Amino acid sequence: MTTPVSLNLHYAEPFYGEHEWQQLQPAVSEAHRLLHEGTGAGSDFLGWMDLPVNDDQEERTRLENAAAHIRAHADVLLVIGIGGSSLGSKAVISALTHSFHAYLEDKDTPDIIFLGEHLGSDYTAELFDALADKRVYVNVISKSGTTTEPAIAFRFVKSWLEDTCGKEEAARRIYATTDREKGALKTLAHAEGYETFVVPDDVGGRYSVFSPVGLLPIAVAGISISDLLAGGAEARHAFAAEGLRHNPAYQYAAFRYLMYQKGKYIELLSTYEPKLTDFSEWWKQLYGESEGKDGKGLFPASVKFTTDLHSMGQYIQEGRRHLFETVLHIGTSTKEIKIPDMSGNEDGLNYLAGERLHDVNEKAYQGTLLAHTDGNVPNAIVGIERLDAYSLGALIYFFEKACALSGYLLGVNPFDQPGVESYKQNMFALLGKPGYEKQRAELEKRLD
């Protein structure tokens, strides 16, 4: 079957035996059954599996109308969210829009700025300096409305926007993506008159790219959400087979599990395309939050080549052999740029004159692939032919499907994140939140 996403394990095959691969088949089949029958851990959060095809047409129409309105009237869209509420849309937008959009004079879409991802004072204060004289719209994304970082950011933005353009106009410019019926943000949106979109009950944040969580900012950026969803739908069909032989998503999950069993505890996602830097951040959350529990799981890290070959390359080549690489490979570039000739040839590179920069980058990829495998670093290659909305939609679904199966192979719930609450509880206590007085005293003693 031809699939929109390819997997090449040729450079990883020396690191495991065929018998090991075959022995995994029963576990993969069982994980597939748990996933597709909805009988595994976290089965209340399997709505992501059908998001590309289960489109709410009424909400889709409202979403596209809202995106068109924002594109027509806004200079800036502020997207307020954290984790799964922002990483997916940021990944798609940075991958598919002009790398220097903010510097373009002639553009028909607003600049999109992400906020609520941290508690940095300088960054937040300086943002409002940059927004002076800008026509600003807001998409605040939170199922509960009480997550600390985005909730604080929204307080700042709401106050600034109301002071700048008045309460009624501010309400027209704010769009809330939140719970269908309940929660602090839903209550506020109803009281203030914000237009709202729904965070599905059965979809966790890190699997929510194909829901309004991701689709509204993506549509505002001028990216075809129809093409993105079509790619996801094609991947849903392509990666539905039970067995390893015909399912690259399951092959990738099985490969990762074999590496983990052999003591390769760090997975490096490497890319040779700077536009995929934010995609790597989305991938890290997807796998880190899904697998890292019960004392188990690979540590997901990312590197950007060739940049990091001049910083992390030495360690990857000759450091501890506890890592493997998954390489994101793009077959063709969308823009052609050729290396110019230089009279005098001072840098000695005239032998490359007339070559496409993409082709030079390709040779760097091939040379690194061989060097790293020679250095006993297993390499898997996940490829798409080109960087467009359809292919990226397929790639997103590929990683989501593989991640769900990986979690079940590990014996963990790939759809919860209980450990994330620990820092929150400590922070609430140290900030003096009512009801946390005892915990505060205990924590302050530990910090002395």
Side-chain angles (χ1 to χ4, degrees):
M1 177 188 294
T2 300
T3 64
V5 181
S6 64
L7 176 70
N8 181 352
L9 292 175
H10 173 73
Y11 298 95
E13 288 172 354
F15 298 92
Y16 60 85
E18 179 65 22
H19 66 285
E20 295 176 285
W21 192 259
Q22 295 303 323
Q23 287 168 3
L24 267 181
Q25 178 62 65
V28 170
S29 295
E30 174 62 12
H32 171 89
R33 184 188 67 79
L34 293 174
L35 193 58
H36 281 262
E37 293 181 2
T39 54
S43 58
D44 290 342
F45 291 93
L46 295 178
W48 61 271
M49 293 179 66
D50 297 324
L51 275 180
V53 295
N54 283 356
D55 194 25
D56 183 331
Q57 192 55 53
E58 181 182 350
E59 183 164 59
R60 169 79 172 274
T61 299
R62 284 199 309 111
L63 187 149
E64 291 182 328
N65 289 340
H69 178 81
I70 296 169
R71 285 197 304 271
H73 295 89
D75 298 316
V76 175
L77 173 67
L78 293 180
V79 179
I80 301 175
I82 195 168
S85 294
S86 62
L87 287 172
S89 59
K90 180 188 283 189
V92 174
I93 291 167
S94 61
L96 299 180
T97 58
H98 197 290
S99 300
F100 302 96
H101 184 275
Y103 299 95
L104 297 177
E105 293 292 336
D106 184 18
K107 50 191 173 186
D108 54 9
T109 58
D111 295 326
I112 299 178
I113 298 173
F114 290 84
L115 190 64
E117 302 172 306
H118 51 71
L119 298 167
S121 297
D122 292 349
Y123 180 97
T124 304
E126 290 166 3
L127 169 66
F128 294 107
D129 295 336
L131 296 179
D133 302 321
K134 303 289 186 183
R135 191 169 176 86
V136 176
Y137 279 65
V138 179
N139 180 205
V140 54
I141 307 169
S142 175
K143 189 166 180 61
S144 66
T146 59
T147 304
T148 306
E149 294 91 340
I152 288 176
F154 185 56
R155 281 195 173 211
F156 282 119
V157 170
K158 181 176 183 293
S159 176
W160 176 87
L161 196 59
E162 290 176 350
D163 289 344
T164 300
C165 62
K167 192 174 180 65
E168 290 185 7
E169 177 62 19
R172 285 190 285 268
R173 297 191 193 181
I174 296 173
Y175 297 80
T177 306
T178 188
D179 190 87
R180 185 183 299 276
E181 297 178 349
K182 62 183 185 300
L185 182 55
K186 177 64 176 178
T187 300
L188 178 64
H190 179 75
E192 300 285 344
Y194 307 153
E195 184 168 1
T196 61
F197 297 96
V198 174
V199 179
D201 287 335
D202 57 355
V203 177
R206 58 191 178 273
Y207 292 86
S208 67
V209 185
F210 296 124
S211 79
V213 172
L215 294 181
L216 180 57
I218 290 168
V220 171
I223 297 164
S224 171
I225 58 176
S226 294
D227 288 351
L228 188 78
L229 290 168
E234 179 61 27
R236 174 182 175 273
H237 171 72
F239 305 132
E242 175 184 342
L244 277 172
R245 179 179 294 273
H246 299 297
N247 195 326
Y250 288 3
Q251 292 167 10
Y252 172 58
F255 162 69
R256 298 176 74 253
Y257 184 75
L258 284 176
M259 294 299 99
Y260 178 71
Q261 293 296 103
K262 292 175 178 292
K264 307 290 188 183
Y265 297 134
I266 299 172
E267 180 178 13
L268 290 178
L269 186 73
S270 60
T271 173
Y272 291 75
E273 173 50 68
K275 293 172 76 70
L276 289 176
T277 299
D278 286 328
F279 187 91
S280 298
E281 296 302 311
W282 169 81
W283 175 87
K284 285 194 288 189
Q285 189 214 6
L286 178 67
Y287 281 87
E289 202 166 75
S290 296
E291 292 186 324
K293 55 199 73 166
D294 301 336
K296 302 176 183 178
L298 289 160
F299 183 83
S302 64
V303 284
K304 181 175 66 178
F305 293 155
T306 59
T307 304
D308 288 337
L309 292 174
H310 297 263
S311 58
M312 297 297 294
Q314 174 62 41
Y315 187 95
I316 297 169
Q317 188 70 41
E318 296 183 348
R320 290 192 66 186
R321 302 297 78 187
H322 57 351
L323 54 84
F324 67 94
E325 281 182 77
T326 296
V327 184
L328 279 184
H329 182 250
I330 313 299
T332 59
S333 58
T334 57
K335 295 182 175 69
E336 185 174 288
I337 180 172
K338 293 184 178 181
I339 298 173
D341 182 80
M342 179 185 289
S343 61
N345 193 28
E346 287 83 1
D347 58 11
L349 294 177
N350 269 356
Y351 75 97
L352 295 176
E355 294 287 337
R356 296 191 313 158
L357 187 59
H358 173 83
D359 294 335
V360 176
N361 198 32
E362 184 75 1
K363 296 307 179 186
Y365 147 70
Q366 292 171 355
T368 305
L369 178 67
L370 296 175
H372 287 181
T373 52
D374 287 346
N376 290 318
V377 179
N379 269 242
I381 306 163
V382 176
I384 55 177
E385 183 55 31
R386 61 187 55 83
L387 196 53
D388 57 22
Y390 178 86
S391 300
L392 200 62
L395 188 64
I396 288 167
Y397 197 92
F398 169 88
F399 279 124
E400 289 179 343
K401 188 70 181 291
C403 184
L405 192 92
S406 288
Y408 285 152
L409 287 178
L410 276 175
V412 301
N413 180 351
F415 307 112
D416 67 354
Q417 54 279 342
V420 176
E421 296 302 313
S422 298
Y423 95 89
K424 294 181 183 179
Q425 299 304 312
N426 289 346
M427 180 175 66
F428 293 156
L430 292 168
L431 286 171
K433 185 174 182 178
Y436 285 78
E437 291 79 10
K438 182 178 179 180
Q439 294 95 314
R440 181 179 184 179
E442 293 172 351
L443 291 173
E444 287 179 339
K445 285 182 181 178
R446 291 174 58 189
L447 289 170
D448 284 343

